[in-house]
Amino acid sequence: MNRRLTLASSVAGAVLVALDGTVLTIAQPTLQRDLDASFAQVQWTSTGYLIAVAALLVFAGRLGDRYGHRRLFATGMVGFGVTSAAIGLAPGVGWVIGLRIAQGVFGALLQPATLGMLRTAYPPDRLRTPLAVRTGAIGLAAAAGPVVGGALVDLLGWRSVFFVNVVPALVFGVLALTAGGPERRTATVRLDPPGALMLAVSLACLVHALVALPETGRAAVGLIAAAVAGAAFVRHERRTAAPLVPPEVVGSTGVAAALGVLVAASAALLGTLFVGTYVLQGVLGLDPLRSALVSLPLAVLMVAAAPVCAVLLRRAGPRRTTVAAMAVLTVGVLVLSAGSATLTLCCGFALLGAGFGTVMVAATHVVVRRPPVESAGVAGGLQQTAMNIGPVLGVAVAATLMGTGGTGVALAVLAVVAAAGAVVALALPGRDDEESARQAHRGRPADRLRIAARR
């Protein structure tokens, strides 16, 4: 598959997943009425999906390393499209929940592959631009999601938001299967089913605990279970000959720092959006349309920041770029916590978008670029895991703090989370480190062979 089609497929997969989550949020109230479902059942249409995705992302990435990222992407896209159609035809909420969990499994297959395909198609020093395009497209999806979802639900009902996924998912899935001939498989990559099971249990318990954070008892049990399973996973990984997460990935300070930054940034952003929606509609009394217009600068600046970040990475390096972006994100949260005028709120949302869009490209660039190409899927799985855990954490913290200390306390804590991400970003590689990494990548046999094959 050529580079243009690879980039288009990567963007399509990322946008499809981003749109799906956004439009579902809009459709849930109507779904609840039409299917006579309880609030808890409607929550599980999101929670079940999140648990399935978070539990399987890293193992799915390793499957891509072993069997080919294009093959996993195609399977995930076709499965995502088929389950979307089935949800649109579901007769009851129980079917919707079960099919959403199945959709989460297919979503876990395709998400790491969207990054793994880019890593195998582009040399490490040319990843900045495709990652910027991918991030900009996600920003557009975030802006379009509420509008598209609202229009579809008003005109055609909640089922239409699932049917809209079917055609693009099947088209890109079939293209990935048929375009470009056979894909090279890495037979030396070994799977680690016991490690995958331990990590899946740990992440599933963690996500469930975070969703249930306002309910102290359930959250505590979930966190304990996640800690026990996580400790077992770490012990197993240190002893096994073929770990699920290779040492060259998890042992890299730059990759670990980038993952921490992604968790902090996504937690701060989504937590702030959760609080901001309440402030705009509950406190300031804005209707949903005007609330969307006030927050629109977030999506606009996120799209604009992505290509600018590609230039900043080349000139300043990941460390300076990410530290500055996290500082901008922190200021954005603080501006929103202090303002009520429309212009001030728009400025706050613009700062959020500029900071988060830059962080997405810069931190993802470090995670995807630095590991060897044989571990591109695992790296993509870790990046996607961070981007799934962070929002759940941010919304859980925001919801808990709003119930105890109000919106001001919630936003202050989220600003601290963003500032902590800026501190973590100090461990990212600088411009000189990136140049050294580029030389090292050129010396790796797999990268030399891949680049030579494209000449």
Side-chain angles (χ1 to χ4, degrees):
M1 190 158 62
N2 63 49
R3 286 179 180 170
R4 289 184 178 179
L5 183 54
T6 298
L7 178 57
S9 298
S10 177
V11 168
V15 167
L16 196 68
V17 171
L19 272 175
D20 179 79
T22 307
V23 298
L24 175 63
T25 303
I26 302 296
Q28 280 177 331
T30 306
L31 182 154
Q32 182 177 2
R33 290 194 300 269
D34 286 358
L35 298 182
D36 195 25
S38 68
F39 180 72
Q41 287 174 319
V42 172
Q43 274 191 313
W44 268 100
T45 63
S46 295
T47 303
Y49 176 89
L50 285 172
I51 290 175
V53 168
L56 296 174
L57 280 169
V58 177
F59 185 59
R62 201 56 171 163
L63 287 174
D65 292 331
R66 175 65 178 84
Y67 297 107
H69 301 297
R70 181 156 50 90
R71 188 175 287 108
L72 265 291
F73 173 82
T75 304
M77 285 292 271
V78 171
F80 200 91
V82 170
T83 50
S84 292
I87 293 169
L89 299 171
V93 70
W95 282 96
V96 173
I97 293 170
L99 288 167
R100 279 287 288 171
I101 293 171
Q103 191 180 45
V105 173
F106 289 111
L109 292 179
L110 75 90
Q111 287 185 55
T114 63
L115 292 171
M117 290 191 303
L118 292 181
R119 175 65 179 88
T120 55
Y122 290 85
D125 56 349
R126 295 183 62 185
L127 275 170
R128 291 181 290 262
T129 299
L131 288 175
V133 172
R134 182 178 180 275
T135 300
I138 293 173
L140 285 174
V147 178
V148 172
L152 287 172
V153 172
D154 284 344
L155 294 174
L156 302 172
W158 67 268
R159 297 178 188 274
S160 62
V161 304
F162 293 101
F163 288 131
V164 80
N165 295 332
V166 177
V167 172
L170 294 180
V171 167
F172 279 96
V174 171
L175 278 176
L177 283 174
T178 58
E183 187 176 17
R184 183 177 65 86
R185 296 168 59 176
T186 309
T188 56
V189 172
R190 296 169 60 187
L191 302 178
D192 178 21
L197 178 60
M198 294 175 198
L199 182 60
V201 171
S202 178
L203 291 173
C205 291
L206 177 60
V207 170
H208 188 265
L210 291 175
V211 171
L213 193 59
E215 302 175 34
T216 309
R218 284 177 57 199
V221 172
L223 291 174
I224 292 171
V228 171
F233 170 73
V234 171
R235 184 172 181 270
H236 169 80
E237 291 291 284
R238 289 177 175 174
R239 296 187 173 194
T240 186
L244 175 65
V245 184
E248 63 266 25
V249 178
V250 73
S252 168
T253 302
V255 172
L259 293 172
V261 168
L262 288 170
V263 171
S266 56
L269 176 73
L270 271 296
T272 300
L273 290 179
F274 180 85
V275 178
T277 301
Y278 172 81
V279 171
L280 290 175
Q281 298 186 28
V283 177
L284 300 180
L286 303 183
D287 59 48
L289 176 59
R290 190 174 176 190
S291 296
L293 292 175
V294 170
S295 62
L296 185 60
L298 186 151
V300 173
L301 267 292
M302 183 176 167
V303 174
V308 174
C309 181
V311 177
L312 292 175
L313 283 173
R314 186 167 54 250
R315 295 183 178 179
R319 183 189 303 140
R320 291 180 179 178
T321 300
T322 309
V323 169
M326 289 302 296
V328 171
L329 182 60
T330 304
V331 173
V333 178
L334 293 174
V335 169
L336 288 175
S337 69
S340 59
T342 300
L343 181 60
T344 303
L345 293 172
C346 287
C347 288
F349 282 115
L351 290 170
L352 286 182
F356 186 74
T358 304
V359 169
M360 272 279 289
V361 177
T364 301
H365 181 256
V366 173
V367 174
V368 175
R369 173 183 173 171
R370 294 185 76 82
V373 70
E374 296 86 356
S375 298
V378 168
L382 290 171
Q383 190 270 357
Q384 291 293 305
T385 300
M387 293 302 298
N388 277 271
I389 296 295
V392 179
L393 173 63
V395 172
V397 169
T400 302
L401 292 175
M402 283 176 65
T404 57
T407 59
V409 173
L411 289 174
V413 171
L414 291 168
V416 172
V417 171
V423 175
V424 173
L426 293 171
L428 292 175
R431 187 171 176 233
D432 294 339
D433 298 324
E434 284 288 282
E435 178 62 24
S436 299
R438 184 174 66 85
Q439 297 297 334
H441 276 295
R442 285 186 173 181
R444 286 178 180 161
D447 281 326
R448 287 204 307 270
L449 289 172
R450 176 174 54 77
I451 293 170
R454 295 186 178 277
R455 287 176 178 170

